[in-house]
Amino acid sequence: MLLPSKTLPADQALVAVAAQILLQLDRPRSVSATWDRLLEWRSARGMDPTPPFWWFSLALDLLYAIGAVEHRDGELTRLPEGTRRAARPDQ
C-alpha cells in the first residue's frame, strides 16, 4: 500500500502518488485544482488506472505528516525542504 509490491504497481503506491502531487504544487493550489492537475498529468503520461480520490487524500495526509505541504487560506502549499518539519499532534 505505502510502497510498490507484486500486486501494487510503482506508479500507484502511496509514496509515488504523494511524489506526483508534489510535482503539481509548483505554486499554491486548491485541493480540487491539485486533484485535477494530477489527473491531467497522469493521463498525459499514460498512467492508468487513475487512483480514487480517497487514495489522493491519503497521499496528502502523508505529505502533511512529513511536513512537505501545508494547507493555508484554502490552498495547498509545498514547503521548501529546509523548513519542513513533521506535523505535531497538537497542531
Side-chain angles (χ1 to χ4, degrees), residues 41-53:
W41 186 88
R42 288 179 60 92
S43 177
R45 285 156 182 77
M47 294 181 183
D48 199 52
T50 299
F53 186 81

Side-chain angles (χ1 to χ4, degrees), residues 21-85:
I21 291 170
L22 283 178
L23 291 173
Q24 311 316 310
L25 293 174
D26 54 344
R27 63 178 181 82
R29 298 181 191 280
S30 68
V31 173
S32 296
T34 305
W35 170 246
D36 291 340
R37 187 165 165 151
L38 176 65
L39 296 182
E40 291 170 10
W41 186 88
R42 288 179 60 92
S43 177
R45 285 156 182 77
M47 294 181 183
D48 199 52
T50 299
F53 186 81
W54 62 267
W55 195 251
F56 168 80
S57 179
L58 282 175
L60 281 179
D61 289 345
L62 171 64
L63 291 172
Y64 180 76
I66 65 172
V69 299
E70 67 180 0
H71 188 256
R72 183 181 297 160
D73 299 326
E75 293 186 319
L76 291 171
T77 303
R78 180 179 181 169
L79 297 175
E81 289 186 37
T83 63
R84 292 181 184 172
R85 59 181 173 72

